[in-house]
Amino acid sequence: MKTIKEPARDIPVRAEADVLVVGGGPAGIMAAEAAAGDGLRVMLVESRGFLGGNLTIGLPILGFLGRKGNQIIEGSAQRFIDRLRARGAASEHRPCKNHMSLTIIDEEEVKRTALEIMEEKGVEVLLYTFFADAIREGDAVKGVVVESKAGREAILAKTVIDCTGDGDVAFRAGVECRKGDAEGGMQPPTLMFCMKGVDVQRLRDAIVGHPDVYDMDVMPPEQFRTGKFITVGLRTQIRQAQAAGYRIPVARTILITGLADDEIWVNMSRVSGVDSTRPESYTYGEIEGRKQIYEIARYLREFVPGFADARIEKVAPFMGIRESRVIVGRYVLTAEDIIACRRFGDAIAVAGYPVDIHHAKGGDCTMHFCDDSYDIPYRCLLPERVAGLLVAGRCSSMNHEAMASTRVMSTCMALGEAAGRAARLALKAGVQPADLDVEALRAELRATGAYLG
């Protein structure tokens, strides 16, 4: 690649924080909220013009409940849902055979509520600000370099929490990171879109009354009689459409009821080979995903009951990325840990979502379930050999298969809360996050409502 030499220059220091959270998605919101307090200066940097990340793209939150139907994600994540529910902007946690549970949320209220919480907690938010580089001295991260309309600036921090989803801070700080399976294949992303004018009752009646025609894979038809639901099936309809010349990129019809009675969110676009850490690849994914949604909408109107008069109401502001970088931390969670429902002495979160791998090639997916739930150890948030840095969310230390479970938003919210509380407690104790008394962290998590088993 051709290069140029950039002249050396002094970068102004915009701010000095106690805790800096980079990325304002599900993990980042929880991390910033949990880190605030004790007189600490907490900052949150986000590249978009709103907070919420994947909470704002029309996806339901999966996995608040475990395999046995008990609630396993509580604490700050549940309090966030409670605030939404008080505004009529979230559903109950409805059990689901495939996804453990389904929680429908209003994406616009998420943005409002997240900013309200940041204001209440005294967190300083910087929107439209891009992370550009990590500032590292010796083995410790000392802050970050950001880019915005104001130019290139530094934000120094005693502790940085990487909630970028892509492990951007960790990668730039020299932490070992990995992407994908043994061949580098990553789960493909989806561009969500919403359709209004759907006759949802007609769709319910078709699934419940004719399960032989409108199959839902392993999901019982009775599940669709009342309440909010997600469909995973209608394979026959897709095959019929493909035989008629429709270009449908997936093997299953995935539809999610919205909060409005005639609203359905569609999770069916799929662009294989997208790498969200490469802008040209991410751009291709957005363009191709947008092309796909119009063909998918045409398929739904023609082949799926209830969609004949439906219209595309809105498209998500960005693709939902299922997989990119993960760090290699002090412990790497594996699918074997998940399937065995493994327990850890330093557990800071409990999860129960299945290992749900959308195939890197082709349009199908594979799911593996544990019988109950599993622990996520604190060590998964700690990079090896780099101090002053915590990593929370889907870029925490998991292998390819395990991340297919931990990537769901409820789990990311729990990891974010744990990281934020760890950062604050470590500063209060005058130690690095890696040297924090984990029992003190676990005690605070329990005392503030988190579920640890």
Side-chain angles (χ1 to χ4, degrees):
M1 179 182 291
K2 186 177 179 179
T3 63
I4 63 168
K5 187 175 290 293
E6 186 176 17
R9 55 176 167 163
D10 292 331
I11 298 174
V13 176
R14 166 177 278 273
E16 297 186 44
D18 293 299
V19 179
L20 172 64
V21 180
V22 183
I29 295 168
M30 299 295 112
E33 178 186 4
D38 296 334
L40 298 182
R41 185 179 186 185
V42 178
M43 297 185 68
L44 173 60
V45 170
E46 166 58 44
S47 62
R48 298 184 174 96
F50 53 87
L51 299 181
N54 279 358
L55 289 165
T56 70
I57 65 173
L59 286 166
I61 306 180
L62 308 177
F64 265 95
L65 306 183
R67 182 79 159 166
K68 295 184 176 180
N70 59 311
Q71 186 162 343
I72 57 174
I73 303 291
E74 295 183 349
S76 294
Q78 180 57 49
R79 288 189 288 274
F80 192 87
I81 297 300
D82 290 342
R83 290 179 69 136
L84 292 177
R85 196 169 290 160
R87 290 175 165 160
S91 71
E92 74 287 351
H93 306 311
R94 186 170 188 213
C96 176
K97 184 175 178 62
N98 255 21
H99 307 95
M100 303 304 95
S101 66
L102 184 72
T103 310
I104 309 298
I105 54 174
D106 182 305
E107 69 281 2
E108 292 302 325
E109 286 295 341
V110 163
K111 300 173 187 177
R112 174 189 178 189
T113 301
L115 286 171
E116 284 178 350
I117 292 171
M118 296 303 101
E119 186 174 17
E120 291 166 8
K121 294 293 183 179
V123 175
E124 299 174 46
V125 177
L126 272 180
L127 302 175
Y128 303 110
T129 304
F130 288 83
F131 166 80
D133 206 352
I135 301 170
R136 180 169 165 173
E137 294 180 8
D139 292 332
V141 172
K142 297 295 185 179
V144 303
V145 176
V146 296
E147 290 269 7
S148 70
K149 296 285 188 180
R152 194 169 176 88
E153 300 173 305
I155 301 176
L156 304 181
K158 296 173 184 174
T159 303
V160 177
I161 307 178
D162 184 344
C163 295
T164 61
D166 295 320
D168 291 334
V169 181
F171 177 72
R172 292 284 187 171
V175 176
E176 182 182 356
C177 296
R178 297 172 181 169
K179 286 191 292 189
D181 58 20
E183 299 177 350
M186 291 182 283
Q187 297 189 64
T190 290
L191 182 62
M192 297 285 294
F193 68 99
C194 173
M195 298 190 75
K196 294 292 285 289
V198 182
D199 186 342
V200 175
Q201 188 58 49
R202 187 177 176 203
L203 177 60
R204 289 182 193 279
D205 292 343
I207 293 169
V208 174
H210 304 282
D212 54 327
V213 177
Y214 303 105
D215 67 292
M216 284 297 113
D217 285 9
V218 300
M219 303 169 82
E222 284 301 308
Q223 182 171 304
F224 303 92
R225 191 176 293 280
T226 60
K228 303 300 180 184
F229 63 81
I230 178 171
T231 71
V232 180
L234 281 80
R235 293 174 182 264
T236 299
Q237 285 63 44
I238 286 182
R239 287 193 292 268
Q240 291 171 348
Q242 289 170 335
Y246 286 69
R247 299 181 304 280
I248 308 300
V250 290
R252 308 168 307 162
T253 304
I254 305 178
L255 309 171
I256 305 143
T257 49
L259 290 172
D261 291 339
D262 67 339
E263 178 180 270
I264 291 283
W265 282 89
V266 184
N267 184 354
M268 291 179 62
S269 68
R270 173 173 295 196
V271 189
S272 297
V274 170
D275 183 345
S276 60
T277 69
R278 294 169 49 229
E280 70 279 10
S281 180
Y282 206 168
T283 301
Y284 164 74
E286 290 281 352
I287 294 170
E288 180 61 26
R290 194 164 290 271
K291 291 177 182 177
Q292 289 180 4
I293 65 175
Y294 295 97
E295 184 78 341
I296 293 165
R298 194 166 71 96
Y299 150 72
L300 293 171
R301 293 188 195 101
E302 184 68 24
F303 290 91
V304 178
F307 281 86
D309 299 319
R311 66 188 185 280
I312 295 177
E313 175 75 5
K314 51 191 168 185
V315 179
F318 58 90
M319 296 192 88
I321 301 297
R322 290 186 174 91
E323 181 176 13
S324 61
R325 292 191 197 103
V326 293
I327 68 161
V328 177
R330 300 195 174 206
Y331 186 83
V332 178
L333 194 75
T334 67
E336 289 73 23
D337 293 330
I338 292 171
I339 300 305
C341 302
R342 193 150 293 153
R343 305 300 172 192
F344 295 92
D346 62 337
I348 43 77
V350 175
Y353 190 73
V355 176
D356 178 8
I357 302 177
H358 291 244
H359 299 170
K361 299 176 182 177
D364 217 331
C365 91
T366 302
M367 301 183 84
H368 302 283
F369 297 82
C370 68
D371 291 332
D372 187 1
S373 61
Y374 62 90
D375 289 349
I376 301 176
Y378 179 53
R379 288 163 290 162
C380 288
L381 309 184
L382 298 171
E384 286 192 304
R385 296 182 295 278
V386 176
L389 179 65
L390 289 152
V391 181
R394 63 176 169 83
C395 49
S396 299
S397 183
M398 329 284 179
N399 70 5
H400 167 70
E401 293 79 14
M403 197 279 304
S405 170
T406 61
R407 64 184 171 83
V408 293
M409 291 185 285
S410 61
T411 305
C412 290
M413 293 168 86
L415 295 180
E417 179 180 6
R421 295 196 184 282
R424 181 169 47 77
L425 290 176
L427 287 172
K428 189 175 179 180
V431 299
Q432 286 291 330
D435 299 320
L436 177 64
D437 178 357
V438 179
E439 281 309 313
L441 171 60
R442 284 163 50 82
E444 170 151 328
L445 284 166
R446 286 196 186 96
T448 51
Y451 177 82
L452 297 182

